[in-house]
Amino acid sequence: MKRNWFYLGDRKTDYLSLLSECCAVKLEGKSIDIGRAVLAEQVHGDHIHICTESDSGAGFEGREKIAGADGLITAIPNQYLMIRTADCYPVLIFDPECKAIAALHSGREGTRLNITGKAINILKDEFGCDPAKLCAYIGAGVCEDHYEVSEDIYESFINDISAQGFAHRAPHRSLNLRMVVFQQLIKCGITFKNIENIQECSYENQAYFSYRRDKGNNRQINIIGIIDE
Ligand SMILES: [Zn+2]
């Protein structure tokens, strides 16, 4: 029997500690085999990699992460897609019929490039998912009150998302990524009721890693998998 399983992490299950685990990690009572997890390199782009069986274990035990990818999609049961974040937004998308799932890293660049919309189109076109049935989680990330950027970056971001038809509301020079990602989900046909917005600011809430606050190199992990057991 297939079912979707996901985990939106915080400091309790940090990425660097995970790397030293040898075989399995326990998350909310579920044991995840590290050899079945897949890590994307995360380069602030919009490339989405469709995983194959041999991608299981990428990024662990000396193996390379999935190069150049900020998004992962799989239809393979018991393979776990993992996105690391510390202010950028993790976006997890799943199909209730378990046809396929996506894990995305949507920071400023991923959001500007609409990696979320791109993933939904792949789920629809290549896996036969109906966007109206898809469900999505937008996890913890930095809110607009704690994400001020330079005038140049602000202008370029606003111009690009406006050109794609997305609205933006935030104080001048502040970016509201969550608001844009939400619209990207809606625009692709995911319904309002199927979007779970985890309204936590990683900068404000000390339970999360925040790069802007701590300048550290550790991250929370966000995972999704189709379990078949
Ligand atoms: Zn905040």
Side-chain angles (χ1 to χ4, degrees):
M1 184 72 181
K2 285 190 203 170
R3 65 185 172 92
N4 292 293
W5 179 87
F6 72 93
Y7 175 81
L8 290 156
D10 53 25
R11 273 176 189 274
K12 287 199 300 286
T13 45
D14 68 291
Y15 170 60
L16 295 181
S17 306
L18 194 70
L19 285 179
S20 59
E21 298 283 340
C22 67
C23 12
V25 59
K26 255 216 150 60
L27 297 172
E28 288 177 348
K30 172 148 186 68
S31 183
I32 299 289
D33 177 357
I34 287 295
R36 299 293 304 171
V38 185
L39 274 178
E41 187 185 4
Q42 298 187 194
V43 296
H44 296 281
D46 67 346
H47 176 64
I48 298 166
H49 175 80
I50 297 174
C51 296
T52 61
E53 188 61 54
S54 64
D55 291 328
S56 296
F60 294 100
E61 296 176 327
R63 287 187 52 193
E64 292 296 315
K65 303 180 189 86
I66 303 294
D70 281 88
L72 299 169
I73 285 181
T74 193
I76 301 169
N78 307 317
Q79 186 180 57
Y80 301 94
L81 312 181
M82 200 178 290
I83 290 295
R84 297 154 288 144
T85 54
D87 289 339
C88 291
Y89 283 83
V91 182
L92 304 179
I93 303 173
F94 67 91
D95 180 318
E97 293 167 12
C98 297
K99 288 178 182 164
I101 50 174
L104 312 165
H105 170 237
S106 193
R108 187 180 74 229
E109 279 304 286
T111 304
R112 187 177 69 80
L113 296 165
N114 194 1
I115 191 170
T116 295
K118 202 172 164 186
I120 297 167
N121 288 334
I122 295 172
L123 291 172
K124 183 174 70 170
D125 298 341
E126 298 190 31
F127 294 90
C129 299
D130 175 1
K133 288 186 188 161
L134 290 175
C135 301
Y137 284 87
I138 309 174
V142 68
C143 84
E144 69 275 21
D145 293 332
H146 297 101
Y147 192 19
E148 193 176 285
V149 294
S150 71
E151 187 73 37
D152 284 356
I153 290 174
Y154 179 78
E155 289 297 331
S156 131
F157 182 89
I158 298 300
N159 287 342
D160 286 351
I161 62 152
S162 305
Q164 298 173 63
F166 300 122
H168 186 260
R169 192 174 59 241
H172 185 64
R173 293 210 289 110
S174 294
L175 301 184
N176 188 341
L177 301 186
R178 182 184 292 280
M179 180 182 182
V180 180
V181 171
F182 189 84
Q183 294 170 80
Q184 291 170 340
L185 291 164
I186 294 286
K187 191 180 182 184
C188 284
I190 298 196
T191 61
F192 189 86
K193 67 177 172 46
N194 287 349
I195 301 171
E196 188 85 41
N197 226 332
I198 313 295
Q199 295 282 4
E200 290 289 351
C201 171
S202 48
Y203 187 100
E204 286 166 62
N205 189 335
Q206 297 283 340
Y208 295 95
F209 290 104
S210 166
Y211 181 75
R212 285 180 82 86
R213 185 191 61 218
D214 307 328
K215 301 286 181 282
N217 63 347
N218 212 346
R219 303 284 181 267
Q220 42 258 350
I221 52 167
N222 307 275
I223 311 175
I224 187 161
I226 299 170
I227 294 176
D228 193 4
E229 55 194 3

